[in-house]
Amino acid sequence: MAGEDVPAGEGLPAAGEGVAAGEAAEAVEAVFREERGLLLASLTRRFGDLDLAEEVTSEAIEAALRHWPAEGVPARPGAWLLTTARRKAVDRLRRDQAYAARLAVLQADAERAEAVAPAADAGSASDPGLGELPDERLQLFFTCTHPALAAEDRTALTLRCLAGLTTPEVARAFLVPTATMAQRIVRAKKKIREARIPFRVPGPDELPDRLPGVLQVVYSVFTEGYAASSGPRLQRLDLAGEAVRLARILRRLLPAERETAGLLALLLLVHARRDARTGPEGEPVLLEEQDRGRWDRAMIEEGRDLVVRALTGGPAGPYGVQAAIAALHDEAADVESTDWAQIVALYDVLLALTPSPVVAVNRAVAVAMRDGPGAGLALLDALAGEPRLRAYAPYAVARGDLLTRLGREGEAAVAYREALEAAGTEPERAALRRKLGE
């Protein structure tokens, strides 16, 4: 077996201790979901080619589905997959000399770039440099935010290949069709190949241009964890928790960057509500109906302290502003006592920093809480021509809620049906069906 396509010595059960095919498939799916990004990051860093890393990762998964039902799930399944994928990559390079030659050129480019980088700056005590990043996935987040790639393309590529989101999930983050997103990802990979962009950790002088892209990726990973784009669950707590972990690393490595504090604060203040956001059957629980006693107060306090740091020392960045909004929600005893006027003012600042239809929807809801449902509905209706909101379920849900509060139940039903068509998870669809039934 060791001479075949699977690793030896990785804790497989003895012969005869096999598991059912269904159990093995579930184990492969769980490991793949949790460790796919780490696998791709390690393989890409080793071989310098993202396409090769994706292909041998898929082949390793296929090997697991063949071997695990008969031989048992390894004690360290992630290590088993990584070893298998590495062997398959080496075998492929041995067979394909042209492929190996192209990767050798990429590797030489990367080594030259590393040699030119100022070693003193990278290793100084005051700035640990990105060479000290303790997480291979985070290293490649920085690598894939190369300025030669278009901003949207590099963020899409990193989310798809390294953060482990599917192409439809990435498309949802950008509010574009899945086909459009698939083209962006292909375009980014082609650019990396043709421009011979090296997979290396950037130097300190390159950081300012790349940090915003990395923050966006971590935030988008958290967003998918907070509200899944598809599947049987509203939340994907594994993704949300991973985003918090990466944000903590960024904050620790780059304490002088206020937006790292802002991002971590935002994630903590929102993630603190995770236990109250769903009911016993996994159904969504609206903010005004949540049991605030179930919110994580230690996480909220940590987030509030970070908000102060993010807003001190100059104009606030978008993550700091969003964190301040989240803090106002978390500090309030209930929806009625929330400082909606301050929240609207902060949304005004956020719209100026990052004009976005999603921000405009959230601002309209805040205006409705401050000035009444009619005022909020007028703002939402003004966004009706925005194409990116056509498949954005929260927009239709917000309209349905405000129309219901205004007693316009027929129009509310239409809005909820639109939301039902756009909803991605079963808990959301079930909640909307109940609303329509009412």
Side-chain angles (χ1 to χ4, degrees):
M1 183 171 61
E4 202 184 310
D5 59 358
V6 295
E10 289 294 346
L12 287 170
E17 294 181 10
V19 295
E23 294 178 11
E26 290 177 4
V28 171
E29 181 182 356
V31 174
F32 186 68
R33 183 175 61 249
E34 294 175 6
E35 301 198 32
R36 178 182 185 278
L38 289 172
L39 282 170
L40 285 175
S42 179
L43 293 165
T44 305
R45 189 164 176 80
R46 171 79 174 270
F47 298 103
D49 187 279
L50 188 53
D51 278 333
L52 174 64
E54 284 194 293
E55 289 168 9
V56 297
T57 295
S58 296
E59 291 175 8
I61 294 295
E62 292 173 3
L65 289 172
R66 289 196 306 272
H67 290 277
W68 290 7
E71 299 162 354
V73 178
R76 298 170 57 214
W80 191 99
L81 290 172
L82 179 58
T83 302
T84 302
R86 282 176 176 168
R87 289 178 177 175
K88 290 181 176 296
V90 170
D91 289 344
R92 178 171 301 198
L93 294 177
R94 285 172 178 165
R95 294 194 305 268
D96 191 337
Q97 293 183 351
Y99 203 176
R102 180 167 67 83
L103 293 186
V105 171
L106 287 171
Q107 184 64 31
D109 289 344
E111 290 174 356
R112 270 198 306 273
E114 292 287 358
V116 172
D121 288 344
S124 67
S126 60
D127 183 352
L130 296 182
E132 301 299 322
L133 283 176
D135 186 282
E136 281 188 320
R137 181 162 29 186
L138 200 54
Q139 290 177 1
L140 282 187
F141 280 8
F142 277 98
T143 298
C144 287
T145 53
H146 195 285
L149 301 174
E152 290 187 337
D153 289 357
R154 60 191 184 226
T155 302
L157 174 69
T158 312
L159 286 172
R160 173 67 188 94
C161 296
L162 299 178
L165 273 63
T166 65
T167 300
E169 289 169 353
V170 180
R172 176 178 178 267
F174 285 85
L175 299 180
V176 299
T178 299
T180 300
M181 184 52 61
Q183 292 172 355
R184 287 185 186 175
I185 293 169
V186 170
R187 184 171 63 220
K189 289 182 180 179
K190 182 179 179 181
K191 178 69 174 181
I192 288 175
R193 288 194 301 269
E194 293 179 348
R196 289 165 54 179
I197 294 173
F199 283 93
R200 65 174 180 84
V201 178
D205 59 321
E206 301 169 285
L207 175 62
D209 289 336
R210 301 204 193 185
L211 180 59
V214 174
L215 296 177
Q216 174 63 45
V217 168
V218 175
Y219 177 65
S220 296
V221 172
F222 179 82
T223 299
E224 178 63 26
Y226 172 80
S229 58
S230 61
R233 294 174 296 172
L234 179 69
Q235 302 182 92
R236 294 177 61 183
L237 296 180
D238 57 330
L239 276 183
E242 176 65 8
V244 171
R245 188 185 71 84
L246 294 173
R248 286 192 186 279
I249 294 174
L250 286 171
R251 171 63 184 159
R252 186 170 68 249
L253 291 171
L254 304 166
E257 297 287 342
R258 290 191 300 136
E259 276 289 77
T260 63
L263 177 64
L264 179 55
L266 173 60
L267 302 195
L268 291 172
L269 290 164
V270 174
H271 199 48
R273 309 173 202 149
R274 62 194 180 281
D275 292 340
R277 291 190 59 238
T278 55
E281 304 300 323
E283 70 276 13
V285 180
L286 299 177
L287 183 66
E288 57 265 30
E289 298 170 354
Q290 289 177 19
D291 177 1
R292 300 188 178 212
R294 300 182 65 196
W295 290 1
D296 188 328
R297 289 295 157 188
M299 195 171 281
I300 290 171
E301 288 304 313
E302 183 183 0
R304 290 176 63 190
D305 290 342
L306 287 166
V307 169
V308 175
R309 300 178 192 180
L311 300 182
T312 302
Y319 295 111
V321 175
Q322 291 179 78
I325 294 171
L328 288 172
H329 284 297
D330 288 1
E331 292 167 356
D334 49 41
V335 169
E336 289 73 20
S337 61
T338 301
D339 190 347
W340 292 106
Q342 181 68 8
I343 287 176
V344 171
L346 286 168
Y347 272 124
D348 290 339
V349 174
L350 187 59
L351 268 177
L353 290 171
T354 55
S356 157
V358 173
V359 175
V361 169
N362 290 332
R363 180 184 179 277
V365 171
V367 168
M369 298 302 297
R370 184 191 65 179
D371 300 334
L377 182 62
L379 294 174
L380 290 178
D381 287 346
L383 298 171
E386 173 56 63
R388 288 176 290 179
L389 294 180
R390 289 172 185 165
Y392 185 59
Y395 170 71
V397 171
R399 287 196 72 252
D401 178 62
L402 296 183
L403 286 164
T404 300
R405 289 164 59 185
L406 290 169
R408 295 159 61 177
E409 294 181 350
E411 294 171 84
V414 172
Y416 284 135
R417 290 191 190 97
E418 293 173 354
L420 184 59
E421 292 178 3
T425 67
E426 182 52 39
E428 291 174 289
R429 289 191 288 269
L432 288 166
R433 284 193 289 266
R434 283 195 298 271
K435 284 183 178 292
L436 283 168
E438 294 168 358

